[in-house]
Amino acid sequence: MSVETRGRSMQDVSRRIDGWLAEHNAGNGLLTVFIRHTSASLTIQENADPDVQADLLDALSHLAPADRRWRHDAEGPDDMPAHVKSVLTDVSLSIPVMNGRMELGTWQGLYVVEHRDRGHNRTLTLCYQGN
């Protein structure tokens, strides 16, 4: 699955992934989602208040600031901070699937987290096992 990001952001991909599960006639099982990048990541987080995503992005930027002197800066000042942020989050998630949908909590969404300043085309690999 391809996801176009908008630069430093969190994009909820829950509906798209539930749609993918429906297309593949998923029932009950386990979905693994893997992002094939080292400067973006995945997370499950609150989907009701957009301030949560903004605060999380700010917190990650505080932990890995672009203005720190990083040795690896081949692709610009946001390069190494993006790698650090992806280490602090997840590149692979396993989510239970019940009745063809991800078994997320009421206020949870599955997000692609873009750690770079500009948008990218990110690739997710989805693997469903079940009936």
Side-chain angles (χ1 to χ4, degrees), residues 34-48:
F34 175 73
I35 190 164
R36 300 179 58 210
H37 304 278
T38 60
S39 58
S41 59
L42 302 167
T43 193
I44 294 175
Q45 198 44 251
E46 179 179 326
N47 64 2

Side-chain angles (χ1 to χ4, degrees), residues 2-41:
S2 179
V3 177
E4 289 289 331
T5 65
R6 302 176 299 269
R8 189 176 162 265
S9 62
M10 293 176 69
Q11 271 185 249
D12 190 342
V13 293
S14 305
R15 286 187 180 153
R16 285 191 62 197
I17 292 177
D18 275 339
W20 183 89
L21 289 166
E23 288 173 19
H24 289 83
N25 299 312
N28 298 329
L30 186 67
L31 173 69
T32 301
V33 183
F34 175 73
I35 190 164
R36 300 179 58 210
H37 304 278
T38 60
S39 58
S41 59

Side-chain angles (χ1 to χ4, degrees), residues 47-48 104-109:
N47 64 2
L104 296 175
T106 302
W107 307 113
Q108 289 182 321

Side-chain angles (χ1 to χ4, degrees), residues 37-88:
H37 304 278
T38 60
S39 58
S41 59
L42 302 167
T43 193
I44 294 175
Q45 198 44 251
E46 179 179 326
N47 64 2
D49 183 352
D51 286 343
V52 172
Q53 290 91 46
D55 285 342
L56 288 170
L57 291 169
D58 290 346
L60 288 170
S61 290
H62 177 75
L63 293 170
D67 60 357
R68 183 180 182 275
R69 290 185 51 125
W70 301 100
R71 283 183 281 280
H72 175 75
D73 62 359
E75 296 177 38
D78 68 337
D79 189 13
M80 191 60 209
H83 293 302
V84 172
K85 293 169 189 176
S86 71
V87 165
L88 296 172

